[in-house]
């Protein structure tokens, strides 16, 4: 069902720990070609913020500001081409950086080098 959605929301409370978080649902959204909306932190701070902003695959919102969230939703609803482009960039990012087969191969090589 995810590919039928327009965007995926990663809702996290803004905290130091969550600035290091990369929730599993982020990967589901990327590989489904969805634009990402993240709530914590609302700016480019943190790992998820850097991923979203550096790759142009979504936006951050302040979860305590419903007017800002509504404005983002309206803007994306009015520009479906830009929204689809964010989703396309996210899919490319997922395939480039988070491919399971490649990552499993890298882990296997690392473990073999440690054992050797």
């Amino acid at each position: 069902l995810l590919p039928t959605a327009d965007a995926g929301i990663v809702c996290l409370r803004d905290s130091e720990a969550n600035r290091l978080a990369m929730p599993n649902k982020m990967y589901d959204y990327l590989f489904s070609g969805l634009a990402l909306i993240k709530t914590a932190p609302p700016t480019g701070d943190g790992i998820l913020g850097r991923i979203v902003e550096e790759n142009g695959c979504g936006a951050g919102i302040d979860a305590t500001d419903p007017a800002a969230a509504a404005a983002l939703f309206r803007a994306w609803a009015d520009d479906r081409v830009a929204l689809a482009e964010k989703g396309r960039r996210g899919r490319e990012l997922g395939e480039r950086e988070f491919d399971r087969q490649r990552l499993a191969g890298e882990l296997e090589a690392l473990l073999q080098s440690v054992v050797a």
Side-chain angles (χ1 to χ4, degrees):
L1 292 175
L2 283 178
T4 66
D6 294 317
I9 301 175
V10 179
C11 296
L12 296 172
R13 182 178 169 157
D14 193 4
S15 68
E16 191 59 36
N18 284 338
R19 290 173 185 261
L20 302 174
M22 289 179 57
N24 191 57
K25 64 182 140 192
M26 176 199 78
Y27 302 103
D28 298 334
Y29 298 155
L30 290 175
F31 282 101
S32 294
L34 300 179
L36 293 177
I37 299 170
K38 66 169 195 70
T39 62
T43 61
D45 298 336
I47 293 173
L48 186 55
R50 282 193 299 276
I51 288 172
V52 168
E53 292 188 9
E54 288 174 4
N55 292 281
C57 60
I61 58 172
D62 183 342
T64 64
D65 187 353
L72 175 66
F73 297 153
R74 277 194 294 280
W76 283 5
D78 290 342
D79 191 350
R80 309 291 291 170
V81 172
L83 178 61
E85 178 63 18
K86 290 179 187 313
R88 185 191 62 73
R89 286 188 203 129
R91 175 79 187 209
E92 287 178 354
L93 168 66
E95 291 172 353
R96 182 179 67 244
E97 298 293 330
F98 305 115
D99 176 73
R100 288 181 187 170
Q101 294 292 358
R102 183 183 58 78
L103 292 174
E106 289 176 10
L107 177 60
E108 179 183 23
L110 173 66
L111 293 174
Q112 287 181 349
S113 72
V114 169
V115 170

